[in-house]
Amino acid sequence: SAYSLGQNYPNPFNARTVIRFEVQKLESRSQNSEVTLKIFDALGREVETLVNERLQPGTYETSFDGSGLNSGVYFYRLTADGFSETKSMVLIK
């Protein structure tokens, strides 16, 4: 796959966690990719958009601050050029 989404670290987390993802160059595209990375609660409601921009191929890290949220399971989804992957994370306070 031209994209990959890593498991957040640490998981479970208290307040802050880091999410790593990769954007690779596609044979059919020489331009940057439109990438979004969003956080959702257990009911599927969007909590926050961490990334919403055109990115060059490479490895990226972004942090998520859940200090204003309740403890529980949350999901994060990477979407780009027809690719979509979702993983879960646990916030413990």
Side-chain angles (χ1 to χ4, degrees):
S1 174
Y3 302 94
S4 68
L5 178 62
Q7 185 63 51
N8 66 301
Y9 180 81
N11 189 32
F13 68 101
N14 180 356
R16 287 192 157 270
T17 189
V18 174
I19 300 169
R20 175 178 269 186
F21 62 95
E22 272 187 62
V23 176
Q24 295 179 359
K25 185 175 181 180
L26 296 174
E27 293 286 327
S28 61
R29 294 179 54 101
S30 60
Q31 301 296 321
N32 299 345
S33 298
E34 185 67 37
V35 177
T36 61
L37 180 61
K38 296 182 178 187
I39 308 294
F40 299 90
D41 66 13
L43 297 175
R45 296 178 295 209
E46 186 177 325
V47 173
E48 187 173 338
T49 298
L50 299 177
V51 177
N52 186 16
E53 59 187 291
R54 294 189 75 75
L55 297 176
Q56 295 180 2
T59 301
Y60 296 88
E61 277 188 0
T62 186
S63 63
F64 172 62
D65 183 354
S67 59
L69 300 173
N70 293 326
S71 295
V73 176
Y74 291 85
F75 299 91
Y76 56 104
R77 180 183 304 146
L78 178 70
T79 306
D81 295 328
F83 171 87
S84 181
E85 186 172 355
T86 304
K87 294 199 178 204
S88 64
M89 59 184 169
V90 179
L91 171 61
I92 297 177
K93 291 193 171 188

